[in-house]
Amino acid sequence: MELTREEIAAVAERKRAAYEAVIGLEVHVQLKTASKIFCGCSTRFGDPPNSNVCPVCLGLPGSLPVLNRQVAELATRTALAINCQVREQSIFARKNYFYPDLPKGYQISQYDRPLAEHGRLEIHVPTGGAGKKTRKKRIDITRLHLEEDAGKSLHEGLPESEAKTYLDFNRCGVPLMEIVSEPDLRTPEEAYAYLTTLKQVLEYIEVSDCDMEKGSLRCDANVSVRPVGTEKFGVKTEVKNLNSFRYLAKALEYEIDRQVALLESGGRIEQETRLWNTQAGRTEPMRSKEHAHDYRYFPEPDLLPLVMDAAWVEDIRRAMPELPAAKEARFVEHYGLSDYDAEVLTANRALADYFEATAAKAPNAKTAANWIQTELLGALKEAGQEISRSPVPPQALAELLQLVEDGTLSGKMGKTVFEKMFASGKSARAIVAAEKMEQITDAGEIEKLCGEVLAKNADKVEQYKKGKQALFGFFVGQVMKATRGQANPRRVNDTLKKLLG
Amino acid sequence: MKITRKDVEHVAALAHLELREEEREHMRQQLDDILTYVDKLNQVDTSQVEPMAQVLAPSRADAALRDDAVGPCLPRQQALAAAPDADETFMKVPKVIER
Ligand SMILES: [Zn+2]
């Protein structure tokens, strides 16, 4: 029985709180290689259709697959980064099913002896409410295995699309790893946090572009619900097509509500595969039973077992770059940043590197962290620019911070200078010199300026002395106005207090 | 009898094969014979033997791997020539009907 969106919303609204969701994610990641997993064809995205194909990836008779060494290396690096045990000998298996985008009639994958198992990943889940608090949660990872991608079927928009399906085999044989989590996720937010953290790790260790739009990161979810307080898992569905972060949480929310509403209406959950339909904003049963089939896995006779011996694994472990969690802890420890600042600044490697390069030259790491988070990230976001192409490089920002620190510029002037730097690519010193923006800090000059303001406003000085304290701000304002904001505000304050004594 | 007619029909459906009536019994008999033979092999005690997926066991890591280098592919024209139906860019198959 399929309930309508409205029926689901009406029931779920009342009953949602009585259920708990159980979610596991299967994430397919394209490994960053030049050639395919079992042949020398290029993996380049966007090449003309069927231009990167050969007898191996087309499954022509007599051809033999040979595993790409880099695939083994990148997948093992990932396995270690997510704390998996790497199997010394893993084997490939044939997963048999028929679909035109799979020319051999089977996909080479791994089955009962995958490359790696028993991993874990720590995620930060927002606790909601005010502030930026998060809680930590450990998500276990069942397995990581290797497989080849299928080709692409084009069902529409070509001359004979009415009667034919068109096939492009460029993707066929592109190396993938599938990372399967345990059903440890309980909410769409946790699933989102898990995918975010996983993607962050994959980008840090440079094993994949993780570009969901180009299909190099894809996500399916296993979803079930159970009454709060019970242990037994409900019947699960597999939701496919969760191919953007934007829709992941939406699709899961919908599917959870659908299951709750179905159970509350006396229905039964079918174990089935459902597709997220972005336009309709709902999950729909997949008409094809293709994937519910019995895949009749058996060991791939054309490939040797993959041997990852201890020495090789150790080499890979030694070459591992610093992982986000370690970097975050180091930022707190070494630079004295708050947990939140460290989390923001380690969101990706380019940003973390930018911060460290700035902090190395800046007078104060915490100030550098603040300026990067508010001024720089704000300006980049507004300009739609990546940090790697920031018009203000780290040394330039550090120089600006130095000028603020030594009092040449007030904080406010510093922000103005930053905007000019961002717009023009010029250095802080050049802008200060060209625009004569230097802050006035000379005591004699400030006293002279203050004296002039007070002399010009003798009536107000009179009122002030009779008790109209609020006029103090007016005097400060007049001095700042006379200097176009360039007088050091603290010194102006002190001087005026002295003169009004 | 290890294999029933139903098993044959199931396997044939998975393989997208349409069997004639007499072929079904013929296939059932053949598959049944094969499994009977496998049963005989199963009588050997292999509890102390590692399962073997491959005759050629690699003795060291890296034994049968290739470098990640892009090699020559098939020219598209040639790749498409092998397909029963194609235009100059794509291979074509009868409209895929979800089943
Ligand atoms: Zn190929």
Side-chain angles (χ1 to χ4, degrees):
Chain A
M1 136 167 102
E2 286 290 324
L3 300 173
T4 65
R5 273 188 71 90
E6 291 69 31
E7 288 168 331
I8 290 170
V11 183
E13 195 60 48
R14 286 180 289 114
K15 296 292 184 180
R16 194 182 288 138
Y19 287 84
E20 175 181 62
V22 175
I23 305 165
L25 293 189
E26 294 175 8
V27 181
H28 285 88
V29 183
Q30 179 180 338
L31 292 165
K32 210 191 268 186
T33 59
S35 66
K36 292 184 180 180
I37 183 168
F38 299 122
C39 63
C41 293
S42 168
T43 56
R44 205 167 32 239
F45 183 83
D47 275 358
N50 294 306
S51 56
N52 298 322
V53 295
C54 76
V56 174
C57 53
L58 287 176
L60 300 186
S63 62
L64 281 174
V66 184
L67 181 63
N68 182 337
R69 180 179 295 107
Q70 186 69 1
V71 168
E73 177 114 10
L74 296 179
T76 301
R77 191 189 298 166
T78 309
L80 296 175
I82 56 175
N83 311 292
C84 284
Q85 291 165 23
V86 177
R87 195 184 286 273
E88 199 181 335
Q89 278 207 26
S90 64
I91 66 168
F92 290 93
R94 288 188 183 178
K95 178 179 181 177
N96 298 281
Y97 67 92
F98 285 106
Y99 205 77
D101 60 18
L102 192 70
K104 297 194 293 298
Y106 57 85
Q107 178 191 29
I108 303 179
S109 181
Q110 293 190 302
Y111 184 53
D112 56 349
R113 284 197 264 165
L115 176 68
E117 289 161 293
H118 311 302
R120 62 182 187 284
L121 201 60
E122 191 169 77
I123 63 170
H124 300 268
V125 192
T127 47
K132 303 147 175 174
K133 288 258 181 310
T134 57
R135 68 186 157 82
K136 287 180 179 173
K137 181 171 177 177
R138 171 186 157 157
I139 305 302
D140 283 346
I141 289 163
T142 316
R143 57 189 271 142
L144 180 157
H145 73 248
L146 291 169
E147 61 187 32
E148 57 179 347
D149 205 352
K152 191 167 148 198
S153 304
L154 297 104
H155 300 287
E156 276 153 36
L158 288 153
E160 291 176 73
S161 285
E162 281 293 300
K164 309 270 181 180
T165 293
Y166 287 71
L167 298 165
D168 172 8
F169 289 112
N170 281 352
R171 275 204 79 87
C172 196
V174 160
L176 302 179
M177 58 185 171
E178 182 175 338
I179 301 170
V180 183
S181 86
E182 289 288 301
D184 287 349
L185 304 160
R186 293 290 171 271
T187 62
E189 293 75 43
E190 288 186 9
Y192 186 92
Y194 169 81
L195 193 60
T196 306
T197 307
L198 182 61
K199 179 170 179 267
Q200 184 194 22
V201 170
L202 297 170
E203 285 173 342
Y204 259 70
I205 62 175
E206 297 179 324
V207 294
S208 174
D209 291 331
C210 293
D211 187 337
M212 286 186 125
E213 268 167 34
K214 291 180 182 166
S216 62
L217 186 74
R218 286 173 262 167
C219 181
D220 302 333
N222 289 302
V223 183
S224 64
V225 298
R226 62 187 176 193
V228 168
T230 60
E231 286 291 307
K232 197 166 165 278
F233 289 158
V235 175
K236 69 177 178 193
T237 58
E238 186 180 5
V239 184
K240 288 189 174 282
N241 231 12
L242 304 175
N243 295 336
S244 94
F245 273 87
R246 227 170 108 210
Y247 295 117
L248 173 73
K250 269 206 171 90
L252 291 174
E253 274 158 24
Y254 180 88
E255 180 60 14
I256 292 163
D257 280 357
R258 187 189 72 85
Q259 293 190 11
V260 168
L262 194 55
L263 292 174
E264 286 291 329
S265 321
R268 218 164 42 92
I269 313 284
E270 297 285 339
Q271 176 152 4
E272 64 181 351
T273 302
R274 301 178 67 88
L275 279 182
W276 168 249
N277 180 330
T278 306
Q279 280 78 39
R282 60 170 182 245
T283 66
E284 293 165 348
M286 224 172 131
R287 271 177 302 152
S288 162
K289 292 243 170 69
E290 203 67 54
H291 297 275
H293 280 164
D294 156 4
Y295 292 125
R296 295 149 296 144
Y297 282 97
F298 65 88
E300 166 58 78
D302 288 345
L303 283 163
L304 293 176
L306 169 59
V307 180
M308 294 302 307
D309 63 19
W312 192 10
V313 173
E314 211 35 54
D315 282 348
I316 294 170
R317 193 192 301 277
R318 263 200 301 273
M320 181 81 71
E322 185 178 35
L323 296 173
K327 206 182 272 289
E328 200 182 310
R330 185 168 61 79
F331 278 17
V332 171
E333 175 78 14
H334 183 77
Y335 296 108
L337 302 187
S338 70
D339 288 348
Y340 176 78
D341 288 351
E343 194 181 326
V344 172
L345 291 173
T346 53
N348 63 67
R349 225 166 125 174
L351 178 57
D353 289 348
Y354 187 100
F355 165 71
E356 290 210 89
T358 310
K361 296 264 169 67
N364 179 317
K366 274 188 180 173
T367 315
N370 289 338
W371 277 74
I372 290 172
Q373 285 178 82
T374 51
E375 307 310 316
L376 180 68
L377 289 184
L380 287 169
K381 194 171 174 195
E382 202 168 302
Q385 190 77 272
E386 296 287 322
I387 184 128
S388 54
R389 306 186 55 184
S390 166
V392 180
Q395 313 80 274
L397 178 59
E399 185 186 276
L400 170 65
L401 297 181
Q402 192 63 56
L403 294 177
V404 174
E405 176 76 13
D406 68 19
T408 308
L409 295 173
S410 68
K412 204 170 160 217
M413 285 159 78
K415 283 174 191 180
T416 309
V417 171
F418 177 84
E419 281 164 23
K420 291 179 193 287
M421 289 167 74
F422 194 91
S424 68
K426 289 195 186 120
S427 79
R429 280 187 198 287
I431 290 167
V432 167
E435 313 213 356
K436 303 193 171 51
M437 286 184 79
E438 228 155 308
Q439 182 169 243
I440 302 162
T441 50
D442 181 75
E445 193 175 350
I446 287 180
E447 191 158 340
K448 184 174 145 254
L449 288 162
C450 289
E452 282 168 15
V453 164
L454 295 182
K456 240 184 260 168
N457 296 282
D459 53 331
K460 293 208 167 64
V461 172
E462 205 59 31
Q463 291 173 27
Y464 175 82
K465 286 188 169 161
K466 281 184 184 146
K468 206 168 174 197
Q469 300 282 319
L471 280 169
F472 191 76
F474 167 79
F475 299 132
V476 175
Q478 289 301 305
V479 176
M480 297 311 280
K481 198 176 157 198
T483 60
R484 300 204 332 272
Q486 279 168 248
N488 180 314
R490 209 180 54 231
R491 297 230 168 132
V492 170
N493 260 296
D494 294 349
T495 310
L496 282 171
K497 268 190 194 138
K498 198 182 80 188
L499 292 177
L500 288 164
Chain B
M1 194 164 72
K2 307 195 152 303
I3 294 276
T4 64
R5 284 286 293 262
K6 235 183 125 193
D7 294 327
V8 173
E9 280 156 20
H10 176 62
V11 174
L14 287 178
H16 290 206
L17 292 175
E18 280 173 30
L19 298 180
R20 287 195 303 277
E21 189 52 34
E22 62 275 20
E23 287 173 323
R24 290 182 197 191
E25 181 48 33
H26 184 62
M27 293 307 296
R28 193 203 64 74
Q29 188 60 53
Q30 286 196 344
L31 292 169
D32 203 74
D33 287 349
I34 293 167
L35 285 193
T36 305
Y37 175 65
V38 171
D39 255 5
K40 192 177 267 177
L41 294 178
N42 272 341
Q43 288 166 14
V44 181
D45 177 12
T46 57
S47 56
Q48 302 301 311
V49 184
E50 274 285 300
M52 184 183 71
Q54 272 288 354
V55 180
L56 235 178
S59 50
R60 56 177 187 88
D62 219 9
L65 302 177
R66 41 169 277 270
D67 290 336
D68 181 27
V70 174
C73 306
L74 277 183
R76 179 159 74 188
Q77 202 183 3
Q78 215 177 322
L80 296 175
D85 188 7
D87 60 19
E88 13 357 300
T89 314
F90 295 103
M91 300 193 197
K92 292 184 275 185
V93 292
K95 190 87 184 161
V96 174
I97 299 160
E98 300 271 306
R99 33 178 281 156

